[in-house]
Amino acid sequence: MGTETFKRKTPEEILQSISKLHQGRLKVYIGAVSGSGKTYHMLREGQLLKEQGIDVVICAVSTMQRPETVRQIGDLERVSSIHWQKDGAAKKDLNLEALTERNPEVVLVDGLAHRNREGALFPTRLEDIRYLLSKGISVITTINVYELEGATELAQKLTGIEVRETVPSDTLELADEVVLIDATPEMILSRVEEGSVKAHKGAGIFKRGNLAVLRELALRLVAEGVNESLERHREELGLIGPSGAAERILVSAQYHWNGSIYVRRGQQIAKRLNGDLLVVAFVNPKKELSKEEAAFKRSMVKLAEKVGGVFEELPFSSRRSLPGVLVNYALAHRVTRIVLGHSKQTLWQELWHGSIVHDMLKRTRSIDIFIVADRAAHEGERILPTKQAKRRKASDLYRRLSSDEVEREIAQLRKGRFKVYIGAAPGVGKTYTMLREGNDLLKKGIGVQIGLLETHGRKETQAQIGELQTIPRQVIDYRGAKLEEMDTDEIIRRKPEVVLVDELAHTNVPGSKNKKRYEDVLELLSAGISVISTVNVQHLESLNDAVEKLTGVRVRETVPDRILRLADEVQLIDVAPQTLRQRMREGRIYALDKVDQALGHFFRTVNLIALRELALREIADDVDERLESYERQSSLRGPWRRQESIFVCVDVTPEAERLIRRGFRIAHRLKAVWHVAYVQLGNGAQSTELSARLEQLRKLTERLGGIFEVHRADNRRRLPEVLAAKADACQATQLIIGQSSKPSWKEAIQGSVVKKLLRRARHMDVLVVADAEIKPG
């Protein structure tokens, strides 16, 4: 049991709890735009609640006459709304009198941002809903992301759309549950083409780029809310330090001419990682600032405010106390990365006065330390680079393609289309949604078959098979047992237009044609067969360490991130943790005999919140990457104009994989080339064990798209020199190293590779990656 179970509630907390008992529950479905499927899911939930004996009614629901949405109304009781006209458009207001008289347990209502007619009891629907909640009536409602005041201005700036009806930016904080209905631009545009989504009004929204911008905005907005709930949950459990997938960047700057450079560098990192920015400056309370320092302070405060950072002064008594003050502040504010400048001291000065960076590394193993290159002082403001947009010259239109280029273009034309449904955890509804889409395609006359399906005994999922045909599995004899796998050859022989393939990260039985299911999928795509598949976020190779840190569970089956990047569409299935845990209790995810163990381990609330945030941010990044590839001019994560090169230093300890994955994540964000380097000491031959280990690291690096190299050094003392020289040869702009795992006494005797490398790499940015110590919430 957690300590929060025994903590006595204050009188205020008791009163608040009693008040909550009488309040209705509020659930909000949020989407990027109209047509995402919010009303459909709201009505479907209403049907499920009715089946469970809950008294549900609908009022002021707008189906837009979409057939599948209309079907979801079924036999739900309708309380008549109040109809009126505005500028020739039909409007519906909630009939509060009729609803309170009927007094249902739950009301389903669309359009949270709706404004009521003149003379209504309340001017807005939000106030109507608050009134119903106060009467003990629960409400499930819908909203588009651009209708939240905090997002409206950004949506207008990026897409040019005009928004007339909005709700306050903190509205979602009123909700007990917020669920994102994710829809890809392709899906929305397909619905517009079919006529199920009307695009005549506000048609500017329904442009591919605008749909993607609004989708990314929705993903990030919900992710921020999830992070806040994760932090509250961790506080209740008494947990401190970094949490979840949110980045919080702390810049330590002085009242000096280069302070603004560090703030801007921190802002660039925070923006690219979609994180919060904190800026601190140390001041001696006993010493008054000089005129020059006061001027630098004014400009730094103004700059921090301009770039959206929070500025604070920290008092200190002596230079040696600085690392401790900074680390304690970082831990208290859940900082994930501290940004500061390289030491400008000589070796002897560092020995005499101590080094702030080195002392910080001794004091914290859970926070990354990012050291800004000295060259920033000479080059001025540095902007993070991006892949330069490849614009075709006019002459290119007339250039004859080579035979290889023609072959590549033809292969691309013949290739099947690839769509992936991704979720935070098992049971969110990925397979259910995949089957539903398969049946929808079947009704449109497209040839769809099931290549591989895992229902895990879930009745709801089984029911969704409908008219879909299943291609028989291949039976493989393995150690005397008959095991089944997807029959890739049979699928290619039958050649359906679309095949549904569950669990993309699955490892095939030894003796199968391919080792991994994603390799089967690549083969199907090459054969011209389109594939719709499913995967959980924890199975992405580069997130393996992050998932272990968040949950304490090491996921063994992974899929390279490039497979997700190959997909034409990636769609998130979002479910709130409390809903997922309820499904688990009801035996709708695992068999009942496994429920207690799952709820106490992987399916703990804190794990599910963290994984949900990870999934939301991962798909938001994926959307942004795709937008950049369409040569979009503006980005939610800021522009990049300079080519970066990442150099990762590894040894052969278990930490090596984590550093390689981290190198990939950073390189991918920076559109950078990246190298992984191992230095072998001495001139002797590699042992069999070492060769095998290096081969493992090489395969992982190459699987993630990096270059793995082995270098040699005569002895350990030359190791930093060799690494620095090789980094320079690769024109590295950022060096990535892990924290030393050696005890202080051993470092004192042998010398610290990290310290020596920091001294030699002052002309480049250096990221010292936090320790991998697992502290699951």
Side-chain angles (χ1 to χ4, degrees):
M1 298 286 280
T3 54
E4 77 280 5
T5 311
F6 302 101
K7 189 181 175 185
R8 182 181 286 120
K9 283 185 167 65
T10 65
E12 290 80 9
E13 287 173 328
I14 292 168
L15 282 172
Q16 195 177 3
S17 298
I18 293 169
S19 172
K20 272 292 226 183
L21 291 173
H22 296 290
Q23 278 266 351
R25 182 178 173 81
L26 176 61
K27 179 169 182 175
V28 179
Y29 282 108
I30 186 170
V33 291
S34 177
S36 300
K38 304 179 298 296
T39 306
Y40 175 96
H41 282 85
M42 177 181 73
L43 292 169
R44 191 170 135 243
E45 181 168 6
Q47 290 289 359
L48 291 170
L49 290 172
K50 188 181 176 187
E51 287 170 18
Q52 292 165 26
I54 306 291
D55 183 17
V56 183
V57 302
I58 65 172
C59 187
V61 168
S62 304
T63 63
M64 303 294 184
Q65 297 306 308
R66 294 168 191 151
E68 55 181 28
T69 308
V70 171
R71 277 197 300 272
Q72 285 301 314
I73 291 179
D75 57 352
L76 288 172
E77 182 185 337
R78 190 192 296 266
V79 171
S80 296
S81 52
I82 297 168
H83 293 253
W84 58 289
Q85 295 271 329
K86 184 181 179 182
D87 300 329
K91 299 280 184 178
K92 295 178 185 177
D93 285 0
L94 285 175
N95 191 333
L96 293 179
E97 191 178 335
L99 284 168
T100 49
E101 189 180 327
R102 171 64 179 74
N103 195 29
E105 288 178 276
V106 181
V107 174
L108 310 183
V109 55
D110 256 326
L112 180 58
H114 171 82
R115 294 199 177 277
N116 294 331
R117 70 202 182 283
E118 204 170 313
L121 183 61
F122 300 107
T124 67
R125 182 155 294 165
L126 175 59
E127 290 165 289
D128 287 346
I129 287 172
R130 279 182 151 168
Y131 175 76
L132 292 172
L133 295 172
S134 72
K135 298 291 182 183
I137 299 171
S138 293
V139 177
I140 304 177
T141 187
T142 64
I143 193 169
N144 292 315
V145 67
Y146 52 80
E147 293 168 331
L148 288 161
E149 280 173 7
T152 300
E153 190 179 332
L154 186 56
Q156 287 178 330
K157 180 183 172 184
L158 293 172
T159 68
I161 63 168
E162 284 189 28
V163 186
R164 291 189 176 87
E165 296 184 329
T166 62
V167 293
S169 56
D170 61 353
T171 299
L172 294 185
E173 292 173 24
L174 301 171
D176 299 276
E177 193 176 338
V178 177
V179 173
L180 173 71
I181 302 302
D182 187 33
T184 63
E186 292 81 4
M187 180 180 284
I188 299 290
L189 292 171
S190 170
R191 289 172 181 172
V192 169
E193 198 177 316
E194 291 163 4
S196 57
V197 172
K198 306 292 183 207
H200 57 276
K201 277 202 173 182
I205 293 179
F206 295 99
K207 291 178 181 174
R208 185 192 196 94
N210 287 350
L211 290 171
V213 168
L214 295 170
R215 182 188 179 200
E216 184 181 352
L217 205 54
L219 284 157
R220 296 207 187 281
L221 188 90
V222 177
E224 282 170 21
V226 171
N227 181 255
E228 285 168 16
S229 69
L230 177 60
E231 290 192 356
R232 285 195 301 271
H233 200 80
R234 284 173 61 88
E235 278 173 16
E236 288 169 11
L237 295 172
L239 299 168
I240 61 166
S243 65
E247 294 277 357
R248 190 163 287 177
I249 312 303
L250 173 63
V251 177
S252 173
Q254 296 172 297
Y255 295 145
H256 188 262
W257 64 269
N258 62 6
S260 62
I261 291 172
Y262 298 156
V263 174
R264 285 201 175 276
R265 190 71 170 112
Q267 182 244 349
Q268 290 158 0
I269 294 167
K271 193 165 186 179
R272 196 62 204 172
L273 302 182
N274 269 93
D276 297 326
L277 177 67
L278 307 174
V279 180
V280 295
F282 288 97
V283 290
N284 188 336
K286 297 175 182 177
K287 189 179 173 187
E288 196 174 330
L289 294 178
S290 67
K291 282 186 179 180
E292 191 179 36
E293 287 172 331
F296 282 129
K297 175 183 175 177
R298 286 193 296 274
S299 64
M300 193 180 294
V301 170
K302 196 180 287 185
L303 177 60
E305 189 179 321
K306 181 184 173 184
V307 300
V310 176
F311 179 83
E312 193 172 343
E313 283 187 331
L314 297 182
F316 77 105
S317 54
S318 67
R319 191 178 182 283
R320 287 193 178 272
S321 70
L322 290 179
V325 174
L326 193 56
V327 167
N328 290 337
Y329 181 90
L331 288 169
H333 290 79
R334 295 189 177 87
V335 165
T336 56
R337 186 178 300 194
I338 298 172
V339 177
L340 69 168
H342 270 285
S343 169
K344 291 180 172 59
Q345 298 184 110
T346 65
L347 174 60
W348 295 111
Q349 285 175 323
E350 281 185 2
L351 289 171
W352 183 254
H353 298 294
S355 162
I356 291 174
V357 172
H358 299 157
D359 287 349
M360 282 172 58
L361 290 172
K362 286 178 190 173
R363 291 171 182 272
T364 178
R365 306 195 68 81
S366 61
I367 302 171
D368 291 346
I369 310 292
F370 188 91
I371 304 132
V372 179
D374 279 355
R375 68 168 188 273
H378 307 292
E379 292 180 8
E381 182 182 336
R382 293 179 64 227
I383 304 295
L384 295 178
T386 189
K387 182 165 61 179
Q388 300 299 312
K390 291 180 181 174
R391 300 184 183 279
R392 294 186 71 180
K393 298 174 188 173
S395 58
D396 286 348
L397 299 172
Y398 299 96
R399 185 177 64 81
R400 183 180 288 119
L401 297 176
S402 68
S403 55
D404 286 346
E405 287 173 327
V406 169
E407 285 298 321
R408 280 199 297 272
E409 292 288 338
I410 292 171
Q412 196 60 38
L413 289 171
R414 286 176 177 163
K415 199 177 172 187
R417 186 170 179 80
F418 186 26
K419 179 171 183 176
V420 178
Y421 283 108
I422 190 167
V428 296
K430 302 178 301 296
T431 306
Y432 179 100
T433 310
M434 177 182 73
L435 290 169
R436 203 182 85 210
E437 182 172 3
N439 274 295
D440 288 344
L441 291 171
L442 205 60
K443 285 171 190 168
K444 293 171 187 173
I446 294 169
V448 185
Q449 293 187 32
I450 296 171
L452 195 291
L453 178 65
E454 299 287 2
T455 65
H456 298 287
R458 297 168 195 159
K459 292 176 184 176
E460 289 175 355
T461 307
Q462 192 76 35
Q464 284 300 309
I465 293 174
E467 303 296 316
L468 294 168
Q469 285 186 1
T470 302
I471 296 170
R473 299 188 190 193
Q474 180 186 16
V475 178
I476 297 171
D477 193 343
Y478 179 65
R479 293 181 178 176
K482 302 287 184 185
L483 301 174
E484 295 182 342
E485 287 292 359
M486 182 170 76
D487 196 334
T488 306
D489 290 337
E490 178 60 16
I491 295 170
I492 291 171
R493 191 187 68 78
R494 294 194 183 197
K495 212 170 177 70
E497 286 179 271
V498 182
V499 67
L500 310 183
V501 179
D502 222 351
E503 298 186 357
L504 190 60
H506 170 80
T507 303
N508 293 332
V509 174
S512 300
K513 184 177 183 182
N514 293 307
K515 186 178 177 181
K516 301 284 290 188
R517 187 165 290 161
Y518 70 78
E519 294 172 322
D520 293 327
V521 165
L522 292 176
E523 197 173 329
L524 294 173
L525 292 169
S526 295
I529 299 168
S530 292
V531 177
I532 302 176
S533 190
T534 66
V535 75
N536 289 321
V537 72
Q538 68 263 27
H539 293 294
L540 287 179
E541 176 67 63
S542 72
L543 293 176
N544 200 258
D545 305 297
V547 170
E548 185 176 12
K549 188 171 183 180
L550 290 170
T551 67
V553 176
R554 170 65 75 177
V555 177
R556 299 297 170 194
E557 292 192 313
T558 61
V559 59
D561 294 54
R562 67 182 172 83
I563 302 300
L564 208 63
R565 316 292 176 219
L566 285 174
D568 299 281
E569 286 183 74
V570 180
Q571 187 172 332
L572 177 72
I573 306 298
D574 185 39
V575 171
Q578 56 265 47
T579 301
L580 203 54
R581 282 175 62 84
Q582 185 58 37
R583 287 182 188 176
M584 178 64 80
R585 289 189 196 97
E586 293 167 0
R588 290 161 59 193
I589 300 177
Y590 293 158
L592 287 170
D593 60 340
K594 295 180 180 177
V595 167
D596 288 342
Q597 184 187 6
L599 288 173
H601 292 83
F602 193 79
F603 277 77
R604 291 168 67 207
T605 302
V606 70
N607 287 356
L608 295 177
I609 298 172
L611 288 169
R612 185 187 182 199
E613 184 191 354
L614 199 63
L616 285 158
R617 292 185 186 278
E618 185 66 19
I619 302 309
D621 282 350
D622 182 72
V623 172
D624 204 86
E625 299 293 342
R626 290 169 192 270
L627 277 165
E628 285 183 350
S629 71
Y630 287 122
E631 297 186 21
R632 178 170 152 243
Q633 296 303 305
S634 57
S635 166
L636 265 68
R637 298 188 295 169
W640 291 352
R641 297 175 194 147
R642 190 177 184 281
Q643 184 58 51
E644 288 256 353
S645 174
I646 310 299
F647 192 84
V648 186
C649 309
V650 299
D651 53 21
V652 288
T653 65
E655 288 297 286
E657 278 92 348
R658 191 172 64 91
L659 286 170
I660 290 169
R661 292 188 187 104
R662 191 64 182 279
F664 161 76
R665 300 282 301 170
I666 291 167
H668 180 69
R669 281 187 175 120
L670 301 182
K671 305 289 190 305
V673 292
W674 61 292
H675 295 75
V676 177
Y678 168 75
V679 178
Q680 185 179 342
L681 301 179
N683 296 314
Q686 291 176 0
S687 67
T688 307
E689 189 180 344
L690 178 59
S691 296
R693 178 67 180 134
L694 292 176
E695 187 58 25
Q696 283 179 331
L697 300 180
R698 183 187 301 280
K699 283 181 178 176
L700 175 60
T701 304
E702 291 174 354
R703 197 159 66 236
L704 291 171
I707 300 161
F708 186 84
E709 295 167 339
V710 177
H711 307 290
R712 288 186 181 270
D714 297 336
N715 53 59
R716 192 175 184 280
R717 291 189 180 279
R718 284 209 62 224
L719 202 150
E721 180 188 328
V722 170
L723 284 171
K726 296 300 177 185
D728 284 337
C730 293
Q731 297 182 310
T733 55
Q734 188 173 148
L735 193 74
I736 298 175
I737 50 178
Q739 288 197 15
S740 173
S741 57
K742 290 183 178 172
S744 301
W745 66 266
K746 206 165 187 179
E747 280 197 352
I749 296 169
Q750 297 181 345
S752 167
V753 172
V754 174
K755 285 182 182 179
K756 289 176 181 175
L757 204 46
L758 282 174
R759 206 169 293 119
R760 287 182 174 273
R762 287 177 175 175
H763 58 292
M764 63 181 82
D765 295 335
V766 179
L767 176 66
V768 184
V769 177
D771 202 310
E773 187 181 351
I774 307 302
K775 294 178 183 175

